[in-house]
Amino acid sequence: MLYDFISLADLEAGDIYDLLELAGSLKKMQRESRVYHPLEGQSAVLVFEKPSLRTRVSFEVGMFQLGGQAIVLDQVHHRLGERESIADMARNLERWVDGVVVRTYSHEAIVELAEHASVPVINALTDKQHPCQVIADAQALSEHKGDFEGLKVVFAGDGNNVCASWMHFAARIPIHFVLACPEGYEASPEVLAFAQANAPGKVEVTHDLKAALAGADAVYTDVWASMGQEAEQADRARAFEPYQINAEAMALAKPNAVFMHCLPAKRGSEVTDEVIDGPQSIVYDQAENRLHSQKAIMVSLMERREDGLTAKRSHRGDVPQPAGRDEPRSGTNITA
Ligand code: CP
Ligand code: NVA
């Protein structure tokens, strides 16, 4: 049972397969223009400390399509915890909204928010993880490749947030995941150790991109300098230059390999135009699936059960419905 969506490390394989199945159904319903409003009357607040195109639009549209409402809180000028404590923020938000979607620098800030909020908290990217991205990626990968069993996914680039969530995915699902990166840009030792200890397939790190690409079913890359790392751009460009995914690199993978990128891309740096615009690229399928897979995540976390509570509130058993949500008592006339 999912109460928050903070890290793929918290999910079992069954949770991941359930989300992907629901995301597929929701995509089909949307394609057929079928109206489905399981979150009617519910609100989610989207809090952004960093810029966003895909995450912001897909969550906002997703809430609308599910019959609910999204409120965007643009927090780019100060960080969570600066204006008031994160606990106080949680204790306010839970009185008004049914879900909190957060993009922060600090991963610990989201964990703290989730601990204090009785409503589900969804990680929309931190410096350490990007779990929503990887569920959308997995949906796109399975649409193009079918079963995950034995698929070789090569991630060329920085072992930070997107890569870490891929490693968590590989800790549950039987793929062969390889991070190919320059020295000093490996995934955190904790993430790598967790993935390698739990992987039903294989998780590896190498500095040899060419060798890694042999037999790859999917080649993934991400920007060399993530949001917040702009000052390191020049140093990183030098270190990552041999890891560019261009036509020569793609030719080392399987002929039917797909190219993947979470976007936004720095064209000409981590990927060339010929690859991202080429026939093997599935980057816009990944982007589209942000909508469907995040709808699946929100429905799983926010749909009310028969007792009127979401899974998290019911599990905690400590928080009443927000004021005003009860059915009006018959005969009550609030204007009297
Ligand atoms: N991939 C992704 O999260 O994109 P945004 O930064 O535009 O939300
Ligand atoms: N690693 C990138 C991902 C953007 C979606 C960043 O954190 O900026």
Side-chain angles (χ1 to χ4, degrees):
M1 180 63 71
L2 297 181
Y3 304 119
D4 296 293
F5 188 80
I6 306 291
S7 168
L8 291 187
D10 301 333
L11 275 64
E12 299 298 334
D15 298 322
I16 294 174
Y17 286 122
D18 286 350
L19 282 176
L20 291 173
E21 194 183 332
L22 181 56
S25 306
L26 292 169
K27 183 170 185 172
K28 188 164 180 289
M29 287 169 87
Q30 198 58 37
R31 290 268 167 98
E32 292 168 356
S33 304
R34 281 159 61 193
V35 174
Y36 179 54
H37 283 171
L39 301 187
E40 192 173 345
Q42 297 199 47
S43 303
V45 65
L46 318 181
V47 185
F48 285 92
E49 278 185 353
K50 294 177 178 179
S52 171
L53 174 75
R54 280 145 290 272
T55 308
R56 176 176 170 169
V57 176
S58 53
F59 267 110
E60 212 170 329
V61 171
M63 268 308 275
F64 175 76
Q65 290 179 354
L66 293 169
Q69 172 208 30
I71 301 151
V72 177
L73 207 56
D74 195 340
Q75 188 97 2
V76 289
H77 298 300
H78 52 259
R79 301 204 178 172
L80 257 59
E82 279 179 8
R83 186 162 178 260
E84 61 188 315
S85 77
I86 290 175
D88 276 350
M89 186 179 180
R91 291 179 193 123
N92 279 264
L93 289 175
E94 70 181 17
R95 298 296 181 106
W96 307 312
V97 301
D98 305 280
V100 183
V101 177
V102 201
R103 168 168 287 192
T104 55
Y105 289 89
S106 157
H107 188 78
E108 292 67 32
I110 289 193
V111 172
E112 190 179 344
L113 192 70
E115 274 168 13
H116 290 282
S118 63
V119 294
V121 174
I122 298 173
N123 179 354
L125 179 145
T126 66
D127 281 348
K128 291 191 179 159
Q129 298 185 38
H130 198 2
C132 290
Q133 179 68 50
V134 173
I135 295 297
D137 294 342
Q139 186 182 2
L141 185 61
S142 72
E143 286 165 351
H144 287 269
K145 293 285 169 197
D147 197 355
F148 292 119
E149 178 95 42
L151 284 184
K152 183 174 184 185
V153 178
V154 176
F155 189 103
D158 195 1
N160 76 339
N161 45 16
V162 176
C163 175
S165 289
W166 263 102
M167 285 193 172
H168 287 150
F169 181 83
R172 303 300 187 214
I173 305 296
I175 61 169
H176 177 187
F177 183 82
V178 186
L179 166 64
C181 66
E183 275 182 48
Y185 294 97
E186 296 86 0
S188 86
E190 295 77 26
V191 170
L192 181 61
F194 175 86
Q196 289 182 327
N198 291 284
K202 206 189 308 180
V203 176
E204 298 177 297
V205 178
T206 179
H207 303 303
D208 186 344
L209 174 66
K210 286 187 176 159
L213 287 170
D217 296 287
V219 180
Y220 200 118
T221 191
D222 183 10
V223 288
W224 293 338
S226 285
M227 292 179 274
Q229 298 172 334
E230 290 76 11
E232 299 170 31
Q233 196 112 34
D235 287 346
R236 284 172 168 267
R238 270 189 294 279
F240 281 96
E241 197 262 324
Y243 294 83
Q244 183 187 66
I245 301 301
N246 47 37
E248 204 177 297
M250 280 306 287
L252 298 172
K254 281 187 184 166
N256 63 349
V258 292
F259 170 74
M260 303 179 75
H261 194 307
C262 53
L263 304 178
K266 278 245 181 297
R267 288 164 173 259
S269 292
E270 75 274 6
V271 61
T272 56
D273 286 339
E274 61 192 341
V275 170
I276 197 169
D277 295 331
Q280 290 167 277
S281 174
I282 62 165
V283 299
Y284 304 113
D285 293 339
Q286 294 171 253
E288 179 188 337
N289 288 345
R290 296 295 302 280
L291 172 66
H292 310 299
S293 57
Q294 286 160 194
K295 283 168 71 179
I297 292 165
M298 290 192 289
V299 170
S300 302
L301 294 174
M302 291 168 62
E303 196 172 28
R304 296 214 184 107
R305 301 143 50 109
E306 277 180 7
D307 57 6
L309 299 176
T310 57
K312 186 171 179 181
R313 280 205 158 120
S314 180
H315 171 70
R316 289 165 59 116
D318 56 356
V319 181
Q321 286 272 61
R325 292 280 168 84
D326 296 337
E327 291 294 317
R329 274 168 293 159
S330 68
T332 303
N333 181 350
I334 56 169
T335 60

mmCIF file of all heavy atoms in Angstrom, residues 62-106:
data_model
loop_
_atom_site.group_PDB
_atom_site.id
_atom_site.type_symbol
_atom_site.label_atom_id
_atom_site.label_comp_id
_atom_site.label_asym_id
_atom_site.label_seq_id
_atom_site.Cartn_x
_atom_site.Cartn_y
_atom_site.Cartn_z
ATOM 1 N N GLY A 62 -3.209 16.635 -15.319
ATOM 2 C CA GLY A 62 -3.619 15.348 -14.752
ATOM 3 C C GLY A 62 -4.691 15.515 -13.692
ATOM 4 O O GLY A 62 -5.701 14.801 -13.698
ATOM 5 N N MET A 63 -4.510 16.461 -12.781
ATOM 6 C CA MET A 63 -5.535 16.692 -11.747
ATOM 7 C C MET A 63 -6.848 17.113 -12.391
ATOM 8 O O MET A 63 -7.923 16.665 -11.988
ATOM 9 C CB MET A 63 -5.075 17.773 -10.748
ATOM 10 C CG MET A 63 -4.369 17.267 -9.532
ATOM 11 S SD MET A 63 -5.269 15.959 -8.644
ATOM 12 C CE MET A 63 -6.379 16.887 -7.587
ATOM 13 N N PHE A 64 -6.775 17.963 -13.404
ATOM 14 C CA PHE A 64 -7.994 18.407 -14.089
ATOM 15 C C PHE A 64 -8.709 17.213 -14.720
ATOM 16 O O PHE A 64 -9.923 17.041 -14.553
ATOM 17 C CB PHE A 64 -7.636 19.454 -15.154
ATOM 18 C CG PHE A 64 -8.800 19.875 -15.989
ATOM 19 C CD1 PHE A 64 -9.760 20.754 -15.490
ATOM 20 C CD2 PHE A 64 -8.967 19.376 -17.269
ATOM 21 C CE1 PHE A 64 -10.853 21.133 -16.257
ATOM 22 C CE2 PHE A 64 -10.051 19.739 -18.044
ATOM 23 C CZ PHE A 64 -11.001 20.619 -17.538
ATOM 24 N N GLN A 65 -7.939 16.369 -15.417
ATOM 25 C CA GLN A 65 -8.562 15.230 -16.103
ATOM 26 C C GLN A 65 -9.165 14.228 -15.115
ATOM 27 O O GLN A 65 -10.099 13.507 -15.453
ATOM 28 C CB GLN A 65 -7.530 14.528 -16.991
ATOM 29 C CG GLN A 65 -7.141 15.378 -18.195
ATOM 30 C CD GLN A 65 -6.107 14.731 -19.093
ATOM 31 O OE1 GLN A 65 -5.580 13.664 -18.777
ATOM 32 N NE2 GLN A 65 -5.806 15.369 -20.203
ATOM 33 N N LEU A 66 -8.641 14.193 -13.895
ATOM 34 C CA LEU A 66 -9.173 13.264 -12.884
ATOM 35 C C LEU A 66 -10.331 13.885 -12.102
ATOM 36 O O LEU A 66 -10.838 13.288 -11.153
ATOM 37 C CB LEU A 66 -8.055 12.841 -11.921
ATOM 38 C CG LEU A 66 -6.946 11.982 -12.556
ATOM 39 C CD1 LEU A 66 -5.757 11.847 -11.615
ATOM 40 C CD2 LEU A 66 -7.472 10.602 -12.945
ATOM 41 N N GLY A 67 -10.736 15.093 -12.501
ATOM 42 C CA GLY A 67 -11.893 15.737 -11.871
ATOM 43 C C GLY A 67 -11.526 16.619 -10.697
ATOM 44 O O GLY A 67 -12.404 17.154 -10.025
ATOM 45 N N GLY A 68 -10.225 16.777 -10.422
ATOM 46 C CA GLY A 68 -9.790 17.600 -9.291
ATOM 47 C C GLY A 68 -9.196 18.925 -9.745
ATOM 48 O O GLY A 68 -9.328 19.317 -10.908
ATOM 49 N N GLN A 69 -8.526 19.563 -8.801
ATOM 50 C CA GLN A 69 -8.005 20.906 -9.036
ATOM 51 C C GLN A 69 -6.546 20.940 -8.579
ATOM 52 O O GLN A 69 -6.195 20.338 -7.565
ATOM 53 C CB GLN A 69 -8.821 21.884 -8.175
ATOM 54 C CG GLN A 69 -8.319 23.297 -8.138
ATOM 55 C CD GLN A 69 -8.679 24.000 -6.839
ATOM 56 O OE1 GLN A 69 -8.805 23.372 -5.787
ATOM 57 N NE2 GLN A 69 -8.835 25.311 -6.910
ATOM 58 N N ALA A 70 -5.706 21.650 -9.358
ATOM 59 C CA ALA A 70 -4.299 21.808 -8.949
ATOM 60 C C ALA A 70 -4.017 23.282 -8.688
ATOM 61 O O ALA A 70 -4.514 24.154 -9.399
ATOM 62 C CB ALA A 70 -3.376 21.297 -10.041
ATOM 63 N N ILE A 71 -3.257 23.537 -7.636
ATOM 64 C CA ILE A 71 -2.850 24.903 -7.302
ATOM 65 C C ILE A 71 -1.326 24.925 -7.340
ATOM 66 O O ILE A 71 -0.692 24.101 -6.679
ATOM 67 C CB ILE A 71 -3.312 25.273 -5.882
ATOM 68 C CG1 ILE A 71 -4.827 25.162 -5.779
ATOM 69 C CG2 ILE A 71 -2.826 26.663 -5.482
ATOM 70 C CD1 ILE A 71 -5.293 24.828 -4.396
ATOM 71 N N VAL A 72 -0.766 25.842 -8.125
ATOM 72 C CA VAL A 72 0.696 25.876 -8.229
ATOM 73 C C VAL A 72 1.253 26.943 -7.303
ATOM 74 O O VAL A 72 0.806 28.094 -7.311
ATOM 75 C CB VAL A 72 1.140 26.145 -9.677
ATOM 76 C CG1 VAL A 72 2.663 26.240 -9.761
ATOM 77 C CG2 VAL A 72 0.631 25.041 -10.598
ATOM 78 N N LEU A 73 2.221 26.544 -6.496
ATOM 79 C CA LEU A 73 2.897 27.461 -5.578
ATOM 80 C C LEU A 73 4.332 27.598 -6.065
ATOM 81 O O LEU A 73 5.123 26.673 -5.944
ATOM 82 C CB LEU A 73 2.871 26.831 -4.187
ATOM 83 C CG LEU A 73 2.925 27.735 -2.976
ATOM 84 C CD1 LEU A 73 1.810 28.751 -3.001
ATOM 85 C CD2 LEU A 73 2.834 26.873 -1.728
ATOM 86 N N ASP A 74 4.603 28.736 -6.653
ATOM 87 C CA ASP A 74 5.926 28.966 -7.210
ATOM 88 C C ASP A 74 6.831 29.460 -6.088
ATOM 89 O O ASP A 74 6.683 30.568 -5.603
ATOM 90 C CB ASP A 74 5.800 30.024 -8.310
ATOM 91 C CG ASP A 74 7.035 30.050 -9.170
ATOM 92 O OD1 ASP A 74 8.068 29.569 -8.709
ATOM 93 O OD2 ASP A 74 6.938 30.557 -10.295
ATOM 94 N N GLN A 75 7.735 28.594 -5.685
ATOM 95 C CA GLN A 75 8.525 28.830 -4.484
ATOM 96 C C GLN A 75 9.985 29.084 -4.873
ATOM 97 O O GLN A 75 10.883 28.893 -4.081
ATOM 98 C CB GLN A 75 8.406 27.543 -3.629
ATOM 99 C CG GLN A 75 8.961 27.550 -2.262
ATOM 100 C CD GLN A 75 7.931 27.835 -1.192
ATOM 101 O OE1 GLN A 75 6.762 28.007 -1.463
ATOM 102 N NE2 GLN A 75 8.391 27.896 0.032
ATOM 103 N N VAL A 76 10.208 29.478 -6.169
ATOM 104 C CA VAL A 76 11.593 29.511 -6.661
ATOM 105 C C VAL A 76 12.457 30.556 -5.962
ATOM 106 O O VAL A 76 13.672 30.499 -6.062
ATOM 107 C CB VAL A 76 11.675 29.713 -8.199
ATOM 108 C CG1 VAL A 76 11.218 28.475 -8.938
ATOM 109 C CG2 VAL A 76 10.910 30.932 -8.645
ATOM 110 N N HIS A 77 11.836 31.510 -5.257
ATOM 111 C CA HIS A 77 12.657 32.562 -4.638
ATOM 112 C C HIS A 77 13.088 32.247 -3.214
ATOM 113 O O HIS A 77 13.928 32.915 -2.662
ATOM 114 C CB HIS A 77 11.922 33.909 -4.695
ATOM 115 C CG HIS A 77 11.680 34.322 -6.116
ATOM 116 N ND1 HIS A 77 12.709 34.518 -7.016
ATOM 117 C CD2 HIS A 77 10.543 34.510 -6.801
ATOM 118 C CE1 HIS A 77 12.212 34.822 -8.197
ATOM 119 N NE2 HIS A 77 10.895 34.821 -8.096
ATOM 120 N N HIS A 78 12.501 31.257 -2.602
ATOM 121 C CA HIS A 78 13.048 30.808 -1.331
ATOM 122 C C HIS A 78 12.726 29.329 -1.132
ATOM 123 O O HIS A 78 11.837 28.792 -1.760
ATOM 124 C CB HIS A 78 12.563 31.655 -0.148
ATOM 125 C CG HIS A 78 11.085 31.808 -0.053
ATOM 126 N ND1 HIS A 78 10.420 32.920 -0.457
ATOM 127 C CD2 HIS A 78 10.142 30.939 0.391
ATOM 128 C CE1 HIS A 78 9.126 32.746 -0.272
ATOM 129 N NE2 HIS A 78 8.926 31.571 0.236
ATOM 130 N N ARG A 79 13.508 28.711 -0.272
ATOM 131 C CA ARG A 79 13.404 27.258 -0.138
ATOM 132 C C ARG A 79 12.441 26.873 0.981
ATOM 133 O O ARG A 79 12.192 27.655 1.897
ATOM 134 C CB ARG A 79 14.782 26.682 0.120
ATOM 135 C CG ARG A 79 15.701 27.058 -1.038
ATOM 136 C CD ARG A 79 16.843 26.125 -1.198
ATOM 137 N NE ARG A 79 17.604 26.564 -2.357
ATOM 138 C CZ ARG A 79 18.757 26.070 -2.724
ATOM 139 N NH1 ARG A 79 19.290 25.094 -2.023
ATOM 140 N NH2 ARG A 79 19.388 26.508 -3.788
ATOM 141 N N LEU A 80 11.962 25.646 0.886
ATOM 142 C CA LEU A 80 11.074 25.125 1.929
ATOM 143 C C LEU A 80 11.766 25.208 3.283
ATOM 144 O O LEU A 80 12.943 24.866 3.398
ATOM 145 C CB LEU A 80 10.764 23.650 1.632
ATOM 146 C CG LEU A 80 9.399 23.330 1.032
ATOM 147 C CD1 LEU A 80 9.208 24.044 -0.289
ATOM 148 C CD2 LEU A 80 9.253 21.827 0.833
ATOM 149 N N GLY A 81 11.048 25.655 4.272
ATOM 150 C CA GLY A 81 11.620 25.726 5.615
ATOM 151 C C GLY A 81 12.166 27.101 5.951
ATOM 152 O O GLY A 81 12.477 27.377 7.106
ATOM 153 N N GLU A 82 12.296 27.982 4.944
ATOM 154 C CA GLU A 82 12.854 29.314 5.232
ATOM 155 C C GLU A 82 11.805 30.260 5.807
ATOM 156 O O GLU A 82 12.062 30.972 6.773
ATOM 157 C CB GLU A 82 13.458 29.922 3.957
ATOM 158 C CG GLU A 82 14.847 29.394 3.656
ATOM 159 C CD GLU A 82 15.455 29.973 2.383
ATOM 160 O OE1 GLU A 82 14.863 30.913 1.786
ATOM 161 O OE2 GLU A 82 16.504 29.471 1.990
ATOM 162 N N ARG A 83 10.632 30.286 5.204
ATOM 163 C CA ARG A 83 9.597 31.241 5.651
ATOM 164 C C ARG A 83 8.898 30.744 6.908
ATOM 165 O O ARG A 83 8.531 31.517 7.786
ATOM 166 C CB ARG A 83 8.597 31.466 4.519
ATOM 167 C CG ARG A 83 7.573 32.533 4.808
ATOM 168 C CD ARG A 83 6.899 33.019 3.538
ATOM 169 N NE ARG A 83 5.887 34.012 3.862
ATOM 170 C CZ ARG A 83 4.591 33.729 3.929
ATOM 171 N NH1 ARG A 83 4.157 32.519 3.695
ATOM 172 N NH2 ARG A 83 3.734 34.679 4.248
ATOM 173 N N GLU A 84 8.680 29.460 6.970
ATOM 174 C CA GLU A 84 8.136 28.828 8.176
ATOM 175 C C GLU A 84 8.643 27.391 8.184
ATOM 176 O O GLU A 84 9.150 26.908 7.167
ATOM 177 C CB GLU A 84 6.608 28.870 8.208
ATOM 178 C CG GLU A 84 5.928 28.148 7.073
ATOM 179 C CD GLU A 84 4.426 28.395 7.047
ATOM 180 O OE1 GLU A 84 3.796 28.325 8.109
ATOM 181 O OE2 GLU A 84 3.885 28.649 5.960
ATOM 182 N N SER A 85 8.501 26.731 9.284
ATOM 183 C CA SER A 85 9.062 25.375 9.362
ATOM 184 C C SER A 85 8.306 24.457 8.399
ATOM 185 O O SER A 85 7.132 24.675 8.088
ATOM 186 C CB SER A 85 8.964 24.842 10.791
ATOM 187 O OG SER A 85 7.643 24.429 11.054
ATOM 188 N N ILE A 86 8.990 23.419 7.966
ATOM 189 C CA ILE A 86 8.360 22.457 7.049
ATOM 190 C C ILE A 86 7.186 21.773 7.743
ATOM 191 O O ILE A 86 6.140 21.530 7.136
ATOM 192 C CB ILE A 86 9.425 21.458 6.543
ATOM 193 C CG1 ILE A 86 10.381 22.202 5.592
ATOM 194 C CG2 ILE A 86 8.795 20.256 5.864
ATOM 195 C CD1 ILE A 86 11.561 21.389 5.109
ATOM 196 N N ALA A 87 7.316 21.511 9.029
ATOM 197 C CA ALA A 87 6.211 20.885 9.775
ATOM 198 C C ALA A 87 4.984 21.800 9.775
ATOM 199 O O ALA A 87 3.853 21.342 9.586
ATOM 200 C CB ALA A 87 6.660 20.586 11.200
ATOM 201 N N ASP A 88 5.195 23.103 9.986
ATOM 202 C CA ASP A 88 4.054 24.033 9.980
ATOM 203 C C ASP A 88 3.420 24.105 8.600
ATOM 204 O O ASP A 88 2.187 24.198 8.475
ATOM 205 C CB ASP A 88 4.495 25.429 10.427
ATOM 206 C CG ASP A 88 4.516 25.548 11.943
ATOM 207 O OD1 ASP A 88 4.019 24.624 12.614
ATOM 208 O OD2 ASP A 88 5.040 26.564 12.449
ATOM 209 N N MET A 89 4.255 24.068 7.581
ATOM 210 C CA MET A 89 3.715 24.086 6.212
ATOM 211 C C MET A 89 2.815 22.867 6.001
ATOM 212 O O MET A 89 1.696 22.981 5.484
ATOM 213 C CB MET A 89 4.891 24.067 5.225
ATOM 214 C CG MET A 89 4.489 24.215 3.792
ATOM 215 S SD MET A 89 5.974 24.201 2.776
ATOM 216 C CE MET A 89 5.231 24.396 1.164
ATOM 217 N N ALA A 90 3.299 21.707 6.441
ATOM 218 C CA ALA A 90 2.518 20.465 6.297
ATOM 219 C C ALA A 90 1.199 20.564 7.051
ATOM 220 O O ALA A 90 0.142 20.188 6.541
ATOM 221 C CB ALA A 90 3.336 19.285 6.824
ATOM 222 N N ARG A 91 1.260 21.114 8.288
ATOM 223 C CA ARG A 91 0.055 21.167 9.122
ATOM 224 C C ARG A 91 -0.978 22.146 8.574
ATOM 225 O O ARG A 91 -2.158 22.047 8.882
ATOM 226 C CB ARG A 91 0.438 21.549 10.556
ATOM 227 C CG ARG A 91 1.215 20.443 11.259
ATOM 228 C CD ARG A 91 1.595 20.862 12.658
ATOM 229 N NE ARG A 91 2.584 19.960 13.217
ATOM 230 C CZ ARG A 91 3.773 20.334 13.676
ATOM 231 N NH1 ARG A 91 4.130 21.614 13.660
ATOM 232 N NH2 ARG A 91 4.610 19.447 14.164
ATOM 233 N N ASN A 92 -0.531 23.116 7.786
ATOM 234 C CA ASN A 92 -1.470 24.010 7.098
ATOM 235 C C ASN A 92 -2.043 23.338 5.864
ATOM 236 O O ASN A 92 -3.253 23.246 5.704
ATOM 237 C CB ASN A 92 -0.760 25.311 6.681
ATOM 238 C CG ASN A 92 -0.646 26.307 7.823
ATOM 239 O OD1 ASN A 92 -1.464 27.205 7.954
ATOM 240 N ND2 ASN A 92 0.355 26.142 8.668
ATOM 241 N N LEU A 93 -1.154 22.857 5.009
ATOM 242 C CA LEU A 93 -1.610 22.308 3.723
ATOM 243 C C LEU A 93 -2.608 21.173 3.909
ATOM 244 O O LEU A 93 -3.583 21.067 3.167
ATOM 245 C CB LEU A 93 -0.405 21.826 2.895
ATOM 246 C CG LEU A 93 0.491 22.934 2.331
ATOM 247 C CD1 LEU A 93 1.720 22.327 1.636
ATOM 248 C CD2 LEU A 93 -0.263 23.832 1.358
ATOM 249 N N GLU A 94 -2.392 20.323 4.907
ATOM 250 C CA GLU A 94 -3.273 19.154 5.073
ATOM 251 C C GLU A 94 -4.700 19.551 5.437
ATOM 252 O O GLU A 94 -5.615 18.749 5.325
ATOM 253 C CB GLU A 94 -2.714 18.199 6.127
ATOM 254 C CG GLU A 94 -2.790 18.753 7.532
ATOM 255 C CD GLU A 94 -2.214 17.799 8.581
ATOM 256 O OE1 GLU A 94 -1.477 16.872 8.201
ATOM 257 O OE2 GLU A 94 -2.507 17.997 9.776
ATOM 258 N N ARG A 95 -4.885 20.797 5.921
ATOM 259 C CA ARG A 95 -6.246 21.261 6.240
ATOM 260 C C ARG A 95 -7.029 21.672 4.988
ATOM 261 O O ARG A 95 -8.237 21.865 5.056
ATOM 262 C CB ARG A 95 -6.188 22.465 7.197
ATOM 263 C CG ARG A 95 -5.559 22.165 8.547
ATOM 264 C CD ARG A 95 -6.390 21.139 9.316
ATOM 265 N NE ARG A 95 -5.810 20.853 10.610
ATOM 266 C CZ ARG A 95 -6.313 21.308 11.759
ATOM 267 N NH1 ARG A 95 -7.399 22.055 11.780
ATOM 268 N NH2 ARG A 95 -5.720 21.002 12.888
ATOM 269 N N TRP A 96 -6.297 21.885 3.857
ATOM 270 C CA TRP A 96 -6.976 22.395 2.656
ATOM 271 C C TRP A 96 -6.953 21.434 1.487
ATOM 272 O O TRP A 96 -7.898 21.374 0.713
ATOM 273 C CB TRP A 96 -6.295 23.697 2.179
ATOM 274 C CG TRP A 96 -6.141 24.755 3.196
ATOM 275 C CD1 TRP A 96 -7.098 25.214 4.060
ATOM 276 C CD2 TRP A 96 -4.949 25.507 3.470
ATOM 277 N NE1 TRP A 96 -6.581 26.204 4.846
ATOM 278 C CE2 TRP A 96 -5.272 26.418 4.503
ATOM 279 C CE3 TRP A 96 -3.666 25.538 2.945
ATOM 280 C CZ2 TRP A 96 -4.348 27.323 5.018
ATOM 281 C CZ3 TRP A 96 -2.741 26.428 3.439
ATOM 282 C CH2 TRP A 96 -3.089 27.311 4.477
ATOM 283 N N VAL A 97 -5.847 20.746 1.318
ATOM 284 C CA VAL A 97 -5.684 19.976 0.082
ATOM 285 C C VAL A 97 -5.579 18.486 0.380
ATOM 286 O O VAL A 97 -5.365 18.068 1.523
ATOM 287 C CB VAL A 97 -4.442 20.442 -0.727
ATOM 288 C CG1 VAL A 97 -4.543 21.915 -1.093
ATOM 289 C CG2 VAL A 97 -3.146 20.149 0.017
ATOM 290 N N ASP A 98 -5.715 17.709 -0.691
ATOM 291 C CA ASP A 98 -5.739 16.248 -0.556
ATOM 292 C C ASP A 98 -4.431 15.600 -0.997
ATOM 293 O O ASP A 98 -4.269 14.383 -0.857
ATOM 294 C CB ASP A 98 -6.896 15.703 -1.400
ATOM 295 C CG ASP A 98 -8.206 16.373 -1.017
ATOM 296 O OD1 ASP A 98 -8.794 15.979 -0.012
ATOM 297 O OD2 ASP A 98 -8.620 17.331 -1.709
ATOM 298 N N GLY A 99 -3.525 16.413 -1.543
ATOM 299 C CA GLY A 99 -2.233 15.876 -1.968
ATOM 300 C C GLY A 99 -1.245 17.017 -2.160
ATOM 301 O O GLY A 99 -1.649 18.139 -2.472
ATOM 302 N N VAL A 100 0.038 16.728 -1.940
ATOM 303 C CA VAL A 100 1.083 17.745 -2.080
ATOM 304 C C VAL A 100 2.162 17.178 -3.009
ATOM 305 O O VAL A 100 2.721 16.112 -2.738
ATOM 306 C CB VAL A 100 1.721 18.102 -0.715
ATOM 307 C CG1 VAL A 100 2.743 19.212 -0.873
ATOM 308 C CG2 VAL A 100 0.644 18.509 0.302
ATOM 309 N N VAL A 101 2.411 17.892 -4.100
ATOM 310 C CA VAL A 101 3.439 17.492 -5.070
ATOM 311 C C VAL A 101 4.576 18.497 -4.923
ATOM 312 O O VAL A 101 4.336 19.708 -4.967
ATOM 313 C CB VAL A 101 2.852 17.534 -6.499
ATOM 314 C CG1 VAL A 101 3.917 17.189 -7.535
ATOM 315 C CG2 VAL A 101 1.645 16.603 -6.622
ATOM 316 N N VAL A 102 5.803 18.021 -4.721
ATOM 317 C CA VAL A 102 6.886 18.959 -4.386
ATOM 318 C C VAL A 102 8.145 18.701 -5.202
ATOM 319 O O VAL A 102 8.616 17.564 -5.287
ATOM 320 C CB VAL A 102 7.304 18.847 -2.897
ATOM 321 C CG1 VAL A 102 8.014 20.116 -2.456
ATOM 322 C CG2 VAL A 102 6.133 18.577 -2.006
ATOM 323 N N ARG A 103 8.716 19.779 -5.749
ATOM 324 C CA ARG A 103 10.041 19.737 -6.389
ATOM 325 C C ARG A 103 10.976 20.606 -5.560
ATOM 326 O O ARG A 103 10.756 21.819 -5.460
ATOM 327 C CB ARG A 103 9.948 20.253 -7.824
ATOM 328 C CG ARG A 103 11.299 20.513 -8.450
ATOM 329 C CD ARG A 103 11.257 20.736 -9.945
ATOM 330 N NE ARG A 103 11.005 19.495 -10.659
ATOM 331 C CZ ARG A 103 11.145 19.340 -11.976
ATOM 332 N NH1 ARG A 103 11.543 20.349 -12.729
ATOM 333 N NH2 ARG A 103 10.893 18.176 -12.539
ATOM 334 N N THR A 104 11.977 19.987 -4.971
ATOM 335 C CA THR A 104 12.897 20.723 -4.094
ATOM 336 C C THR A 104 14.353 20.420 -4.444
ATOM 337 O O THR A 104 14.644 19.483 -5.173
ATOM 338 C CB THR A 104 12.741 20.276 -2.618
ATOM 339 O OG1 THR A 104 12.912 18.873 -2.556
ATOM 340 C CG2 THR A 104 11.429 20.662 -2.025
ATOM 341 N N TYR A 105 15.233 21.213 -3.874
ATOM 342 C CA TYR A 105 16.657 20.866 -3.892
ATOM 343 C C TYR A 105 16.875 19.717 -2.901
ATOM 344 O O TYR A 105 17.346 18.656 -3.245
ATOM 345 C CB TYR A 105 17.507 22.091 -3.516
ATOM 346 C CG TYR A 105 17.506 23.123 -4.617
ATOM 347 C CD1 TYR A 105 16.533 24.125 -4.660
ATOM 348 C CD2 TYR A 105 18.452 23.081 -5.631
ATOM 349 C CE1 TYR A 105 16.511 25.049 -5.683
ATOM 350 C CE2 TYR A 105 18.444 24.004 -6.659
ATOM 351 C CZ TYR A 105 17.466 24.995 -6.683
ATOM 352 O OH TYR A 105 17.443 25.894 -7.699
ATOM 353 N N SER A 106 16.494 19.946 -1.668
ATOM 354 C CA SER A 106 16.805 18.994 -0.595
ATOM 355 C C SER A 106 15.814 17.823 -0.578
ATOM 356 O O SER A 106 14.598 18.023 -0.422
ATOM 357 C CB SER A 106 16.740 19.748 0.744
ATOM 358 O OG SER A 106 16.505 18.855 1.795
#
